[in-house]
Amino acid sequence: MSSREHILSRAKANKPDLLELPNLDLNVFVDGRDLIKEFKTKIEVVGGNVVDVVVKENVISQVSSLFPDTKANFSTLEGTQDFNTISLEALNKPHELEDLDILILESDIGVAENGALWLSDNQIPIRVLPFITKHLVLVLNKENIVPFLHQAYQKIASSETDFGVFISGPSKTADIEQSLVIGAQGALSLTVFIY
Amino acid sequence: MKVGLFIPCYINQLYPQVGIATLELLEKLNVNVAYPSGQTCCGQPMANSGYEYESVGACNNFVDNFKDFDYVVTPSGSCAYHVKKHYDIIPQTEDVINVRNNVYELCDFIVNILKVKNVNAKFPYKIGIHKSCHGLRGLRLGSCSELVGPSFSSIEDLLNEVEGAQLISLARKDECCGFGGTFAVTEEAISVKMGKDKIKDHLDSGAEVITATDTSCLMHLEGLINRNKQPLKVLHIAEILNSSI
Amino acid sequence: MNHSKAASIFNKDEKKVDWHDKALWFVRHKRDKAVHAVEGWESLRNYGHGIKAHTLSNLDNYLIQFEENALKNGVQVHWAANGDEHNKIVHGILKEHNAKKVVKSKSMLTEECHLNPFLEADGIEVIDTDLGERIVQLAKESPSHIVLPAIHKTKEEVDELFQEHLGTKPSGGDPQYLTGEARKHLRKKFISADAAITGVNFAIAETGGFVVCTNEGNADMGAHLAPVHIACMGIEKLIPKQEHLGVFLRLLARSATGQPITTYSSHFKKPVNGNKMHIVIVDNGRTEQLSRPDFRASLHCIRCGACMNTCPIYRRSGGHSYDATIPGPIGSILSPGKDLTKHSSLPFASTLCGSCSDVCPVKIDIHSQLYKWRQIITKETPQPFVKKTSMKMMGKVFAKPMQFERIGKVARWSLRNLPKGVINSKPNVWGKERDLPSGPTESFDDWYKKRKDNEQ
């Protein structure tokens, strides 16, 4: 017998009688909190920064003033060719992104309860981008903030994604004596622009 | 209402004053309470050590003693919990089921069955409550810090009504004291360390007296306090509730 | 060495015990703050429990569904009955791709299977990329905690390790500096890796995808840069549907560290063009645990580590005292299922205080299972003669009220009359640091009888 058959037959033989799958009643979680306020608070709790902008078109100018000395820049926002210093088409391998200073991506789901933003293959041209960049900037329309992860998954369910990630704050670690250090192996900072 | 009083084995032999306070308190509250002779132990020491099967005789003896009462009341959350939770090793006769359903820890019985909070006690001291784990997380005598829900405590309900009593709050309000039955001996180093830490929390928080629903925890803490000559008095909650100083 | 012995050695340095206890209590406290702010937290735990229990009750079918969908996604699926087979499969994949340098993100499963030494024996470089795991790897130790692998190490110890292995400057243990140096060191490893190994936090039957959670971003740095990604998972990592992640991701990080969610929750489904993705599904004793009705709920575990942070024994004895891949309360109910004799002291390393069960995000009845393992261990493994006979004697005494009374009298007399030096002599472990009660002249029984006689 192959290990596959062995495992499956033992799982079948050893499992208990079928137990019902619980039906989730999402009403029990309703807490009446203000979505935008909660979302901003949580981003700060997880070590990120929040910037309010009136219109999306203002993002680049604000990024340039927040991060004045960046050399390698990349953005997927429309009309930002002047900002971009690298061309993804010219890359041979993703490893060449090692020196990327700043990356701007758009997200279409923000989760109020944990300050997480969803990015999928549709928004990330190369998967390693949001992790390898030194500074990550995410742009979100406030209409796209949902209260809990449950609603986020309802939105995600409708799209086929090959890879997707919830990002909540900059990379961090507390592995040395429980001291929180921002900037571990991924992005050193996260700034979220909400319009 | 016929109430049978169960006095745990070690209280019977080593802390009779706790049994006396319990009986007197129940009598003050006009409870028709009887103390059946021939009681020994609930069986917990063997069972928690992994020798449940050696405790069958004790379990049967317990049920024999208490099967004819409406309630069984005991000054020990741990024993009450053991009867409720672990008496599944003997056949579940009607008597066994009744005894398991009707066994109550003292405070639980006063607050939730007698529906009394003020027992007319006086005790002018600063009290630190040690929330013994089997009472707290086993019998749910109060809310614990792990679970999310409304805060409540039968023990605090009673002590809040005691004249002159001041309840102090601890840094770690419901951490285990480290007694744990034979754990106190088989894991001596950790048991002692847990007890020392618990006592330090009470001292740092300004307690003059430590109390609990279980004399077993208190025996462990008192053993350390006496050895280290620390300025803390140790009393079972029945002794405080039966007090009129 | 049994737990008690190892714990007493750990306790020789009381300052370190205090430090370890406080560090973990701090995490438990953060967890409390986070979960008490969640409306419906207890419902969330019930859902987590219910979904896991349901999944286990239909595990074979969900495994088949998961495999089918993963294959459709272009992922290669492998099955390993035990740790050895798991290691051989991973080794085989690496050989096939001629991979010599491997970066690995945190996976307790690969620890359980002892993957690293197996690969290193063939000259493959395996770098653990989680900072805590890298620290213990450099120290040639095993993780002492499943979420905080290096929690037993002081910052000064990390400083020395990094000086020796990474050539850092002495910094007195500055976490910011040391983390920065580790980042530089690990960047080089990510850039040059031939393959990446990750664990799996959740595998979704409905999609064939899987989720990996990290705070550091190390799993993603590895998996997206290397041409080959191998994900290793135990069969209990399955959940039926993607929407169930809403429940588990809400529970996981809050329980683990008090964060509302980990920084990165990465959902892998298909490899990018030209790259390879493999999933290794491992049993290694899990289907056997599934066969035990009293213990199968231990397979609900989502590896948050909350039971360790809350356990007053774990906090004061350190993870290594458990001598098991998974330490602490959850480890103490998992390990006996694998080797009852080796791990026979673990279910006794508890006061049965029940904090672990109440803190558990998927409501595993951990302390009840500890109690049940005790009953099995005393029957099926050799027990000390003294313990066995004294329990038998106690059982007899408590079954017969007359005997109880007689023995009680003797005990009280001894406590009153024997000199302290005798009472607290060596065989009395209790008396090493604690006094015994003084031994009253009359028992409650005696008092009660006297009172009755006086009434008449």
Side-chain angles (χ1 to χ4, degrees), chain C residues 11-29:
Chain C
N11 263 260
K12 291 213 164 104
D13 185 350
E14 189 168 357
K15 266 204 181 126
K16 177 135 188 186
V17 175
D18 287 337
W19 169 82
H20 191 262
D21 166 66
K22 281 202 183 75
L24 287 156
W25 182 260
F26 174 66
V27 184
R28 152 79 208 273
H29 182 70

Side-chain angles (χ1 to χ4, degrees), chain B residues 42-59 82 86 89 182 186, chain C residues 348 352 370-396 398:
Chain B
C42 66
Q44 190 180 188
M46 291 82 83
N48 282 0
S49 308
Y51 290 88
E52 211 174 44
Y53 61 95
E54 299 285 13
S55 75
V56 169
C59 298
H82 186 71
H86 292 302
I89 52 160
T182 43
T186 55
Chain C
F348 293 93
L352 305 178
L370 290 168
Y371 176 90
K372 285 173 182 161
W373 273 122
R374 291 181 182 187
Q375 311 307 325
I376 293 172
I377 284 162
T378 56
K379 283 187 190 140
E380 294 182 10
T381 70
Q383 292 299 307
F385 177 76
V386 176
K387 186 178 173 192
K388 214 171 162 152
T389 38
S390 64
M391 286 296 153
K392 201 182 187 84
M393 250 174 57
M394 264 169 98
K396 281 199 175 135
F398 288 139

Side-chain angles (χ1 to χ4, degrees), chain C residues 35-88:
Chain C
V35 309
H36 283 271
V38 174
E39 185 67 38
W41 175 256
E42 299 302 332
S43 301
L44 206 55
R45 291 176 71 222
N46 283 331
Y47 290 149
H49 177 91
I51 295 166
K52 282 284 181 179
H54 161 81
T55 311
L56 290 178
S57 77
N58 192 32
L59 188 60
D60 52 332
N61 292 319
Y62 281 131
L63 282 167
I64 292 167
Q65 190 191 1
F66 174 72
E67 179 191 40
E68 199 180 299
N69 286 321
L71 291 171
K72 268 190 227 158
N73 294 335
V75 178
Q76 281 169 263
V77 179
H78 313 260
W79 299 76
N82 52 47
D84 191 44
E85 191 177 4
H86 161 267
N87 294 346
K88 284 179 182 152

Side-chain angles (χ1 to χ4, degrees), chain B residues 80-232:
Chain B
Y81 173 67
H82 186 71
V83 173
K84 272 193 190 300
K85 168 119 173 161
H86 292 302
Y87 270 33
D88 48 5
I89 52 160
I90 52 174
Q92 297 300 291
T93 62
E94 205 177 313
D95 286 342
V96 173
I97 292 167
N98 281 339
V99 165
R100 291 179 78 181
N101 284 338
N102 299 327
V103 64
Y104 278 81
E105 182 279 326
L106 177 67
C107 297
D108 195 9
F109 179 75
I110 297 173
V111 171
N112 295 311
I113 301 299
L114 300 182
K115 309 276 181 204
V116 170
K117 286 183 183 171
N118 189 339
V119 297
N120 291 317
K122 277 189 207 164
F123 191 75
Y125 293 99
K126 287 183 186 148
I127 304 173
I129 303 174
H130 168 60
K131 295 188 172 165
S132 299
C133 302
H134 287 174
L136 186 72
R137 298 189 193 84
L139 298 173
R140 304 287 177 203
L141 300 183
S143 48
C144 62
S145 54
E146 295 87 357
L147 296 182
V148 177
S151 146
F152 67 99
S153 163
S154 297
I155 304 162
E156 285 173 23
D157 283 351
L158 289 166
L159 289 177
N160 276 329
E161 298 292 332
V162 172
E163 201 181 314
Q166 252 180 285
L167 303 190
I168 56 107
S169 51
L170 298 166
R172 299 184 186 183
K173 57 184 178 177
D174 50 21
E175 182 162 56
C176 179
C177 69
F179 171 68
T182 43
F183 176 89
V185 175
T186 55
E187 287 268 7
E188 194 259 353
I190 304 284
S191 174
V192 164
K193 179 63 180 145
M194 285 167 71
K196 279 164 66 180
D197 289 353
K198 193 84 226 177
I199 292 162
K200 185 171 188 302
D201 195 358
H202 281 269
L203 282 172
D204 290 349
S205 309
E208 296 166 328
V209 177
I210 298 186
T211 193
T213 50
D214 274 278
T215 302
S216 48
C217 307
L218 295 176
M219 175 169 75
H220 163 66
L221 295 174
E222 188 178 51
L224 286 162
I225 288 167
N226 289 346
R227 179 65 60 89
N228 299 316
K229 301 185 172 53
Q230 287 167 306
L232 261 172

Side-chain angles (χ1 to χ4, degrees), chain A residues 75-116:
Chain A
S75 157
T76 59
L77 295 185
E78 269 175 52
T80 53
Q81 292 82 351
D82 295 347
F83 176 77
N84 289 359
T85 59
I86 48 173
S87 146
L88 297 187
E89 286 75 31
L91 282 182
N92 293 313
K93 351 189 265 175
H95 303 68
E96 293 164 18
L97 292 164
E98 210 195 335
D99 296 321
L100 181 63
D101 289 309
I102 192 152
L103 170 75
I104 308 175
L105 298 174
E106 277 188 84
S107 161
D108 54 12
I109 305 173
V111 187
E113 66 161 322
N114 55 27

Side-chain angles (χ1 to χ4, degrees), chain B residues 69-87:
Chain B
F69 290 95
D70 300 315
Y71 293 100
V72 185
V73 176
T74 178
S76 164
S78 191
C79 300
Y81 173 67
H82 186 71
V83 173
K84 272 193 190 300
K85 168 119 173 161
H86 292 302
Y87 270 33

Side-chain angles (χ1 to χ4, degrees), chain A residues 3-4 10 14-15 19 25 33 113 127 150 153 162 164 166 168 172-173 175 177 184-186, chain C residues 37 47 54 57 60 67 85 132 155 183 187 191 215-216 225 250 254 263 265 267 269-270 287 290:
Chain A
S3 288
R4 177 184 184 277
R10 282 177 56 95
N14 295 345
K15 68 184 181 180
L19 295 161
D25 173 10
R33 286 180 204 165
E113 66 161 322
R127 284 184 189 176
H150 310 289
Y153 279 108
D162 297 343
F166 280 112
S168 168
K172 57 181 89 68
T173 182
D175 275 345
E177 271 204 21
Q185 322 322 333
Chain C
Y47 290 149
H54 161 81
S57 77
D60 52 332
E67 179 191 40
E85 191 177 4
K155 55 183 195 277
R183 179 182 160 102
R187 275 281 156 133
I191 297 290
N215 278 323
E216 298 181 9
L225 286 174
R250 292 190 72 191
R254 287 185 175 95
T263 302
S265 309
H267 299 53
K269 204 157 89 184
K270 292 183 188 170
T287 52
L290 185 65

